Amino acid sequence: MSSRKKVPPVIPVVGGGTTVGDQSREDQLREWEEAQRRQREQQAAAAAQPVAVPPAVQASLPAQSVPASAQPAVAAESTSAVAPKDAAAGYLTMPEFTPPDSDDPAARLEFYSRGIMAVQYAARANHERAEQQRLIGLGLRLKAIKEEELHKTAGFDTFGDLTWDRFKIRKHQANNIIRVMPVAQALEDITTQELKERPLRVLVPVLETHGVDAVRATWTEAARHGNVTDTALKEAATFLGYAPPKVLNNVLEAGQSAKPKQVESAPSESLRAVERIRTLAQSDLAKARQEAEQLESAVRELLEELQGNLD
């Protein structure tokens, strides 16, 4: 066996640096995907080169003997009324398995290890892109069903009854997906990152008030600092001037002080829960913090559910 070492698969380095001059994760991923796309196009073009068959020879051959590439092309419109979107757009080709040329065990292990890392990277990237397209695909179809009131055709009283019975998607979840779907569409050609429904809610008012370009600018600004979260999007929108104005606390306090005092009523169940956590904090601060976070998460989900049911 030859001792020449085979060049291992190239693995793009993502998020390797934190300085201002370093490329962001999105830039590196787009560059690598663009190189992969060009390579696939070149390979497809080479494979699709027609076989030159002289007309005189074609006339003497049976029809089935003439290569398909030499026969007249059939227009795509004749076989499909809808031109499908490129299914491979934004997806990475999974690296093929090739054995190393070296017989050195250490070199072979290094070669296989780099291949495993390349496969894991492609799998993660493709999963994120698939989840992104899943959100858009669900939103488009749920919106169409809701606008056309097709739940009535299936014998359901409400849109939410249909989505839960057939797709196990609750009404507030369906409405939230419909709400953020245009935001995901605005971002799908500038990022292959997974677009989650919850963080994208921050960009809904940005889209409605300032348009697609503002949504893209906000995402790009948030992505400069690493993972894009709802907090990062809020900060970016505020920095760029796209966030809705906030009511100052002192204005609220002034309005409240002007109101006549009312007779205090008995505390509600929610306030009693807060007071119980405060009491717990005096003896077990860590447990009190944990319960407070659970309460906060539950309240947030309840508010989102109520908002979704109102839509």
Side-chain angles (χ1 to χ4, degrees):
M1 184 181 292
S2 172
S3 61
R4 181 174 59 86
K5 294 179 66 175
K6 197 167 190 177
V7 179
V10 178
I11 305 173
V13 179
V14 180
T18 56
T19 61
V20 177
D22 289 338
Q23 286 182 306
S24 69
R25 177 183 187 280
E26 297 297 328
D27 294 335
Q28 294 178 40
L29 185 57
R30 282 198 295 271
E31 287 180 5
W32 197 53
E33 289 176 349
E34 180 63 20
Q36 293 290 318
R37 184 188 63 78
R38 288 197 298 267
Q39 182 179 0
R40 289 195 299 270
E41 289 179 351
Q42 292 172 0
Q43 293 173 349
Q49 288 294 330
V51 179
V53 180
V57 176
Q58 289 187 30
S60 64
L61 293 174
Q64 60 269 25
S65 301
V66 180
S69 58
Q71 297 179 10
V74 179
E77 289 77 9
S78 64
T79 58
S80 175
V82 180
K85 192 174 181 180
D86 183 7
Y91 292 90
L92 304 182
T93 302
M94 192 64 66
E96 295 183 1
F97 173 80
T98 55
D101 288 341
S102 174
D103 56 359
D104 178 20
R108 294 174 69 84
L109 175 59
E110 174 66 17
F111 182 86
Y112 289 135
S113 298
R114 290 178 63 83
I116 289 173
M117 294 173 64
V119 168
Q120 290 176 330
Y121 177 86
R124 285 195 303 269
N126 289 339
H127 172 75
E128 290 191 358
R129 184 65 166 183
E131 286 299 308
Q132 176 194 111
Q133 295 302 303
R134 171 180 172 272
L135 179 62
I136 295 173
L138 287 177
L140 289 169
R141 289 158 180 80
L142 290 171
K143 181 181 179 182
I145 291 174
K146 183 176 183 180
E147 290 182 344
E148 297 177 31
E149 297 185 341
L150 297 181
H151 61 275
K152 298 179 180 178
T153 303
F156 291 94
D157 293 333
T158 66
F159 168 69
D161 291 338
L162 170 65
T163 60
W164 176 249
D165 183 81
R166 292 202 172 182
F167 316 117
K168 294 302 179 249
I169 301 176
R170 297 194 181 278
K171 179 183 176 181
H172 74 278
Q173 294 173 321
N175 285 326
N176 285 333
I177 291 174
I178 293 172
R179 187 183 300 113
V180 304
M181 181 266 297
V183 174
Q185 286 182 307
L187 297 173
E188 67 173 324
D189 60 346
I190 68 169
T191 179
T192 58
Q193 183 175 335
E194 177 181 355
L195 301 177
K196 297 182 179 180
E197 177 261 323
R198 183 186 295 273
L200 292 188
R201 297 177 201 170
V202 176
L203 297 177
V204 172
V206 175
L207 178 65
E208 294 174 345
T209 305
H210 303 283
V212 171
D213 290 339
V215 168
R216 298 185 183 192
T218 303
W219 178 275
T220 302
E221 178 62 30
R224 288 174 23 140
H225 308 290
N227 292 333
V228 181
T229 62
D230 51 353
T231 300
L233 289 171
K234 289 177 184 177
E235 293 175 349
T238 301
F239 173 73
L240 296 174
Y242 297 137
K246 297 181 179 179
V247 180
L248 297 179
N249 290 334
N250 57 359
V251 175
L252 289 175
E253 292 173 358
Q256 290 174 355
S257 62
K259 295 179 181 179
K261 283 189 175 183
Q262 298 179 352
V263 179
E264 295 184 358
S265 58
S268 63
E269 290 291 337
S270 57
L271 292 179
R272 280 199 289 268
V274 172
E275 289 302 322
R276 183 183 60 79
I277 295 175
R278 281 203 180 102
T279 304
L280 176 62
Q282 297 176 4
S283 58
D284 192 339
L285 183 59
K287 186 174 181 180
R289 181 179 180 84
Q290 181 181 4
E291 292 198 11
E293 291 174 348
Q294 292 175 350
L295 179 61
E296 180 187 22
S297 177
V299 171
R300 187 185 300 113
E301 291 181 2
L302 176 59
L303 290 174
E304 292 169 359
E305 182 176 349
L306 294 175
Q307 179 63 38
N309 287 331
L310 288 174
D311 293 338

